[in-house]
Amino acid sequence: MHTFIQPNQFVAIKLPSDQTRLIKLVPDSLVQLGKYGNFPANQVIGRPFYYTFEIQDTPESDGYKLRVVSATELHAETLIEEAEADGEMEDQPEGAENTMRTNRQIVDDASTQTLTLQEIEELKKEAGGAGKEIIAKILESHTALDQKTAFSLAKYTLRKRMKYLKRFTVLPLDVSTLANFMLAEKDAGRTMEMRDEHIGLLGCLGNVHHGGVSTTDMLPAAKANGRLVVSSWLLWPSAWESCTPPDEEDEEDNQEEEAVSSTENPTVANEDNESGEPRETMSFPRRYKPRPMSASGNTITLIHAYSQPNLSLLKYFGYDINQPNEKHPLHTHLKTVTWLQMLDPSADPILSSPPVTLPAEELAALKGSKRSAYHFKRNRYEKVKAVVEEARLGRFDGLIAATLLEPVSVLKHLVPLLSGSSSVAIYSPTIESLVSLMDMYSTARRTTFINKKRDLEAQKASEQETVDLSSLHEEFELDPSLLLPPNIT
């Protein structure tokens, strides 16, 4: 992740009220922070993260409206408050008992503040200093301020600073910050109340890592080198920032460079015009565009329950599903499949009715709009068909499931698609479903399953008949011999 703020980047802005706002810093635009004011986005682009800025009421001579607050100034008030708290005991006269000041005799009501709301509103319009003058005036007008203890005074001052001080801190928007923001300030149910440590555990237990070189001549034929993700709500991009292998990135860059160089030096052809004189025409080759979901290895296959996957949170990390970036690794390495396509492809509306293949003569005779619609339907059908066939073929390296569905029903269909030594990580908002899943793959059930299966095979072998395991699968909803006994973390 960058250490400096980049243009068109989503950042997390921490306000004095401890609220967090996710804002995209578009160059030459104003960032609105509500009652705290606004500032030009160009004045923070290119600066380091974790800086605290103060919004000034009047810009400086160089036009800058923001002032960088130094660390000494940030912690000066804290040091003063600690010194005052330590000095409370030292201010006692000699021979007097060491008694600490308390708030027991203080009556904190509206009469202790001599400033009215109307006067405070006028101060907001007239006073400068990014709210510091208002805070100083409010503290000065408090009649019982000298009776407060150091802790009570610090709490009162902090409350006024959170309300009137015009400061903010720019933080990088990583997965941990986004998870905490969704959990504390947004709809926690949208992310199934997942905390950042949950996401980290899923990535570790699911063995999510870069798959390495994915060329077909260097990988075994039975190795798909991909991850299977089941999600009901969202896709977290915690471990997929380096999804594209280096060789594929170089190959894409080389193809783009070839396309650009050929565009700069277009092909010149001679044609005869109506008068019979030769005429030069220039043909420009098309720019190379990687097709979505076209990667052959090191992929992430997302299985979702709706017609469209919920990938809206990926926009904070540079990938917008509505306007996909062709250079982003998820454009080619992220593949989406519905549950209907996985279990019954013939019932899917796209796969059940393939578009008719038109001859070249009929296709050339169509209008431009109809020809574009034909190519769109044909390309969509081919893309969905290839992804579904690859997903149903299996040979995945791992399975991560974060869903509201019953884990038993999920693993029943997806565990057979995993290759040997694959890792499985399941997240569920309720522990009861995970306890039931542990019982399904317990050692006792696996031993019973293997013994009954061996007895059926021995019985059918003596009768020279085909082994029918339907009765065994009716008793055991899952095959406990496919996975080792799981544990709950």
Side-chain angles (χ1 to χ4, degrees), residues 50-52 69-78 161 167 169:
Y50 302 102
Y51 269 27
T52 299
V69 183
S70 61
T72 305
E73 184 179 352
L74 284 174
H75 302 291
E77 296 181 1
T78 304
R161 287 167 58 88
R167 288 180 180 177
T169 305

Side-chain angles (χ1 to χ4, degrees), residues 205 438 484-489:
L205 298 177
M438 288 185 62
L484 294 176
N487 54 11
I488 297 180
T489 304

Side-chain angles (χ1 to χ4, degrees), residues 420-438:
S421 302
S422 299
S423 54
V424 179
I426 310 294
Y427 173 82
S428 177
T430 58
I431 195 173
E432 290 79 9
S433 58
L434 297 179
V435 172
S436 175
L437 184 64
M438 288 185 62

